Every structure is written in structure tokens, then in C-alpha cells.
């Protein structure tokens, strides 16, 4: 039994880290707002997003493992340069804003627990994230990120500490109490955009490349089909587990805030730190401390993913040496983008720019850029000149295109809500 568990845990890697990084402090704020504002009425969305998230992340992972290159490199090699640069620069801008919001939330969370200046805490967290990627070799960094995923269990602990109306929960899950209002639809779009984000595509594809390069004798599957069945099976298991884990935590956060904040009449949550503070008088010190600790832990995981995915995209587009497996002096441009995105994000927290409002624009940018990226990825995944004999199956093709269509509808609805 122990051997089976160990073997299963060894299979987990890029998919688990990617899924956990999706529940960053900004995502926590969105899920908290969904629960606080609409109670149990939006829990059903988790069951919609899970298979969609799995489908598109499996596609991105397979592109990386089969071709031996990330998304941006494949864009550069097979698609028009204007499309490449549009996607890369929008991704860099959106990720930097997201980093600012996450660092700000982490700084506020630490201030709530120990006091001190929140901006100073944010800067320290930003510098820590940079140092982790600069000086911890990939073979050691990957396990560190893997262990940081455990921080999300803080939200399971919070959920256990509150009373759950099981009958109402089951009814709301089986028969969703939909509300066709502008506010409900906008928040539903926000949940979709938070769950299916472009930086996750770039990160997971690039991490599959890192794993392949870090393993002696491994080559891209397009060049050598040795062990292909095992690799593709590992990707499937890893991604399914990671995305289900991610969405289970999202469900726990929504449910916790629904049965505490919403039921207490607290319906306006603008940040994850605000959600933690609002929990304190309602659910107690234990729930408050766990919620705040979870913000910091998942932020330490998400910041490297956000900065790293931007660096992979820019470096591949610029044809720079790339990879966390290289020393900083061997990949100056790559590590320079990591430092730039992270420290610019920290710097935004010292300006008059509201990182939470900026995050709304980040979500808009992410939503807009997600659709063409997903469409291009789906086209990549069926092209024999890119994937060789490892083009995706019809079942995965249908799931990926369905996810793309849902995101397209979400973007149209989001844009429409701003125009009305």
C-alpha cells in the first residue's frame, strides 16, 4: 500500500502545482466574493469548470511533452509573429498586475496576523519569490512548490470549523438557484476567468519541458516515442488530480464564505485579506488565522508560477536561453523577466494604483487573450507537423473546443456587461 501511495505521489508534478497555483490570493478573493454575495447559488460553477480546466490543461501539457517546447516557442515556429507578440505582451502585463494583487493580499494577510506595514511585507514576499527562482535549482524548486500546495488544506480546515447546512447544500448543488442578474453573470464570468487562466497553459507546458530536460535520456515524444504511453498516462493522472484538487479548494472557499459571511449579511468582499478579517467575528480566531495563513502559503506558490510563465513566454518569443534548470548567468533574459514582473508587481503596491481594481483589468485582459490562445492550442494539438503521431484524441478534442467555446461566451458576456 505504501509503495502504491509513493508511486502515485511521484506521478504528481506540473499538473498538481499548476492546479494549486490557480487558487492564488486573487482567486481566493473571487471565490470568497461568490460565496459572500450569492451564498450557495454559485457552487455549481465548480462542477462546470473542473472538466473544462482538465481538458485544456491536458492539451497544454501534451504540447510541451510531445514537442519539447513551450506554447510561445510553438507559436513562434508555426504562427504569424503579430499573434505571438499580442499574446506574449498581454500575458506579461496581466501577470504583472496579478502579481501586484497577490503580493498586496499577502502583505495585508501578514499584517492582520502579526502587524507591521503591509507594503513592506509585500516587498519581502516579492523578493523571496525572486530568490527562490534565482538560487534554488529546478530539481529542488519543483519539490518546494509541490510541498507548498499543502497550504491549500488550510481552507479545508476552515470549512471543518464552521457549521454546514447539508440539506441546503445538496439541494443547491443538484438544482442550482440561478440568478439571471448582471451582478450574478459578471461574477460567474470572473469565476470562469479565474479558473481557466492563460498563465496556467504556459506554465504547465513549460514545466513538462523542464521535467523532460531534467531527466537523463528523456527526449520529446515527437523525437522518441520511448515510454510515451507511460508519460501520457502520468500527464493525465497528474492533471486530473491537480485540477480536481484546485476546484475542491475553490468549492471549500465558496462554501465557507456562503455559510458564514453571506448568512451574516456580509456580501461585499474585495480582497482575500478582507475575507479573512470578516471571518474573525463570525467563525472565530481559528478560522481567521487559517484563512490568512492560506493566503500567504498559496501566494508563495502562485507568484513563481505567474512570473515564471511570463518569463517562459517572453524568452521563447525572443529566442533567449530558457529554463529554471539553467544558472542565472546562463539565462539572463529569462531570469530578468522573472525579476522585472515580480518587482514591478511589488512596486505597484507602493503607488496610488489600487491593485484590486487593477486586477479587474487583469481579468479582462486574461479573458480576452485566453480565447485565441486556447483556439491556437487546439489547432496545434491536432497538427501532425507539430505533434507527430501524438495528436490528441477526438474525445479530448471535443472537450478542449467546448472549453474554448465556454470561455468565448464568457468574454462576450463580460464585454457586454461593461457596455450595457
Amino acid at each position: 500500500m505504501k509503495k502504491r501511495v509513493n508511486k502515485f505521489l511521484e506521478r504528481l508534478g506540473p499538473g498538481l502545482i499548476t492546479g494549486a497555483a490557480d487558487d492564488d490570493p486573487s482567486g481566493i478573493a473571487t471565490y470568497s466574493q461568490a460565496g459572500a454575495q450569492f451564498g450557495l447559488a454559485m457552487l455549481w460553477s465548480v462542477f462546470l469548470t473542473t472538466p473544462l480546466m482538465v481538458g485544456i490543461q491536458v492539451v497544454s501539457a501534451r504540447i510541451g511533452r510531445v514537442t519539447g517546447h513551450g506554447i510561445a516557442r510553438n507559436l513562434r515556429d508555426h504562427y504569424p509573429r503579430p499573434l505571438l507578440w499580442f499574446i506574449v505582451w498581454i500575458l506579461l502585463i496581466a501577470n504583472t498586475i496579478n502579481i501586484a494583487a497577490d503580493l498586496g493580499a499577502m502583505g495585508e494577510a501578514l499584517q492582520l496576523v502579526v502587524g507591521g506595514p503591509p507594503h513592506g511585507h509585500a516587498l519581502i514576499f516579492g523578493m523571496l519569490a525572486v530568490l527562490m527562482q534565482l538560487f534554488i535549482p529546478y530539481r529542488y524548486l519543483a519539490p518546494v512548490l509541490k510541498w507548498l500546495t499543502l497550504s491549500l488544506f488550510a481552507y479545508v480546515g476552515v470549512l471543518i470549523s464552521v457549521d454546514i447546512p447539508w440539506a441546503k447544500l445538496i439541494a443547491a448543488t443538484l438544482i442550482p438557484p440561478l440568478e439571471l442578474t448582471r451582478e450574478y453573470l459578471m461574477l460567474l464570468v470572473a469565476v470562469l476567468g479565474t479558473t481557466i487562466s492563460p498563465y496556467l497553459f504556459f506554465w504547465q507546458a513549460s514545466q513538462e519541458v523542464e521535467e523532460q530536460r531534467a531527466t537523463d535520456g528523456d527526449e520529446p515524444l515527437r523525437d522518441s516515442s520511448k515510454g510515451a504511453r507511460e508519460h501520457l498516462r502520468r500527464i493525465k493522472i497528474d492533471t486530473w488530480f491537480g485540477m480536481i484538487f484546485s476546484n475542491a479548494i475553490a468549492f471549500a472557499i465558496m462554501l465557507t464564505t456562503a455559510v458564514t459571511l453571506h448568512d451574516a449579511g456580509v456580501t461585499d468582499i474585495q480582497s482575500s485579506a478582507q475575507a479573512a478579517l470578516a471571518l474573525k467575528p463570525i467563525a472565530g480566531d481559528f478560522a481567521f488565522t487559517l484563512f490568512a495563513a492560506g493566503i500567504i502559503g498559496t501566494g508563495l506558490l502562485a507568484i513563481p508560477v505567474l512570473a515564471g510563465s511570463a518569463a517562459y513566454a517572453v524568452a521563447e518569443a525572443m529566442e533567449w536561453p530558457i529554463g529554471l534548470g539553467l544558472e542565472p548567468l546562463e539565462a539572463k533574459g529569462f531570469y530578468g523577466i522573472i525579476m522585472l514582473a515580480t518587482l514591478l508587481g511589488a512596486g505597484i503596491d507602493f503607488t496610488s494604483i489600487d491593485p484590486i481594481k487593477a486586477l479587474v483589468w487583469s481579468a479582462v485582459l486574461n479573458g480576452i487573450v485566453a480565447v485565441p490562445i486556447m483556439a491556437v492550442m487546439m489547432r496545434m494539438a491536432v497538427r501532425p507537423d507539430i505533434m507527430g503521431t501524438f495528436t490528441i484524441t477526438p474525445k479530448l478534442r471535443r472537450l478542449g473546443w467546448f472549453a474554448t467555446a465556454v470561455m468565448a461566451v464568457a468574454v462576450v458576456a463580460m464585454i457586454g456587461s461593461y457596455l450595457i
Side-chain angles (χ1 to χ4, degrees):
M1 180 65 180
K2 186 177 179 180
K3 288 183 178 180
R4 287 184 179 180
V5 172
N6 289 337
K7 186 176 181 180
F8 175 74
L9 292 176
E10 287 174 2
R11 289 172 178 255
L12 303 181
L16 173 62
I17 294 169
T18 302
D22 189 45
D23 293 326
D24 66 330
S26 302
I28 292 168
T30 301
Y31 302 137
S32 297
Q33 178 61 26
Q37 187 171 354
F38 294 107
L40 304 176
M42 205 169 281
L43 288 173
W44 66 272
S45 63
V46 174
F47 298 98
L48 169 66
T49 58
T50 299
L52 303 185
M53 192 179 180
V54 169
I56 201 65
Q57 288 301 143
V58 167
V59 169
S60 64
R62 286 177 66 121
I63 289 172
R65 191 64 186 79
V66 169
T67 66
H69 300 297
I71 303 297
R73 171 62 185 273
N74 279 294
L75 275 169
R76 192 189 82 202
D77 289 347
H78 301 285
Y79 292 88
R81 290 301 172 94
L83 176 62
L84 167 68
W85 288 114
F86 168 75
I87 288 173
V88 167
W89 289 116
I90 292 293
L91 181 76
L92 178 59
I93 293 168
N95 282 16
T96 301
I97 295 171
N98 208 329
I99 288 170
D102 283 355
L103 287 174
M106 293 165 70
E108 290 175 3
L110 187 58
Q111 181 197 36
L112 293 176
V113 177
V114 303
H119 295 332
H121 294 328
L123 180 59
I124 292 171
F125 283 131
M127 293 175 65
L128 177 60
V130 169
L131 293 174
M132 283 171 59
Q133 294 176 90
L134 281 177
F135 298 110
I136 301 179
Y138 178 76
R139 64 182 181 278
Y140 300 123
L141 179 61
V144 169
L145 296 178
K146 209 167 170 179
W147 279 106
L148 280 171
T149 63
L150 296 177
S151 63
L152 291 176
F153 281 104
Y155 297 105
V156 178
V158 175
L159 183 60
I160 292 172
S161 69
V162 301
D163 293 326
I164 301 172
W166 290 104
K168 290 183 180 179
L169 170 60
I170 294 171
T173 302
L174 295 178
I175 308 174
L178 301 177
E179 300 181 27
L180 298 180
T181 63
R182 179 184 178 185
E183 291 76 14
Y184 184 89
L185 291 173
M186 283 185 68
L187 195 50
L188 177 59
V189 170
V191 169
L192 284 169
T194 297
T195 306
I196 303 173
S197 298
Y199 74 89
L200 300 177
F201 315 154
F202 283 82
W203 175 262
Q204 190 164 357
S206 295
Q207 289 310 288
E208 286 295 337
V209 178
E210 291 276 14
E211 293 280 337
Q212 175 252 309
R213 292 176 180 173
T215 305
D216 291 338
D218 265 10
E219 295 182 37
L221 297 183
R222 185 178 59 187
D223 299 332
S224 172
S225 60
K226 180 182 177 182
R229 184 175 180 182
E230 178 60 25
H231 284 304
L232 296 179
R233 177 174 169 77
R234 176 194 56 77
I235 286 172
K236 185 177 180 180
I237 293 171
D238 183 25
T239 305
W240 269 101
F241 186 89
M243 303 312 135
I244 290 173
F245 176 53
S246 172
N247 283 278
I249 299 301
F251 187 89
I253 295 168
M254 277 194 207
L255 180 55
T256 297
T257 52
V259 300
T260 53
L261 303 185
H262 180 79
D263 288 353
V266 181
T267 60
D268 186 18
I269 297 297
Q270 297 299 319
S271 72
S272 51
Q274 184 185 344
L277 187 61
L279 272 174
K280 191 171 185 178
I282 300 169
D285 288 341
F286 178 72
F288 157 74
T289 303
L290 272 182
F291 204 98
I295 293 169
I296 295 169
T298 190
L300 287 173
L301 170 63
I303 299 302
V305 172
L306 283 159
S309 60
Y312 281 115
V314 175
E316 287 189 331
M318 296 293 291
E319 301 186 59
W320 293 339
I322 184 172
L324 293 169
L326 299 178
E327 295 292 331
L329 293 179
E330 296 176 304
K332 295 177 184 177
F334 173 73
Y335 285 103
I337 295 297
I338 289 176
M339 294 176 63
L340 178 67
T342 306
L343 297 180
L344 269 181
I348 289 173
D349 291 328
F350 286 87
T351 68
S352 58
I353 299 172
D354 183 343
I356 302 304
K357 289 182 179 178
L359 187 64
V360 173
W361 291 105
S362 171
V364 171
L365 291 173
N366 269 324
I368 291 171
V369 79
V371 177
I373 292 175
M374 292 168 74
V376 170
M377 283 170 51
M378 292 308 300
R379 290 295 305 147
M380 283 183 190
V382 298
R383 286 179 55 173
D385 60 322
I386 297 176
M387 301 291 287
T389 59
F390 295 98
T391 54
I392 58 174
T393 62
K395 183 178 179 180
L396 184 56
R397 192 181 312 166
R398 288 192 294 269
L399 182 58
W401 278 116
F402 181 61
T404 305
V406 169
M407 281 301 295
V409 171
V411 169
V412 171
M414 179 168 58
I415 294 173
S417 68
Y418 280 100
L419 296 177
I420 295 175

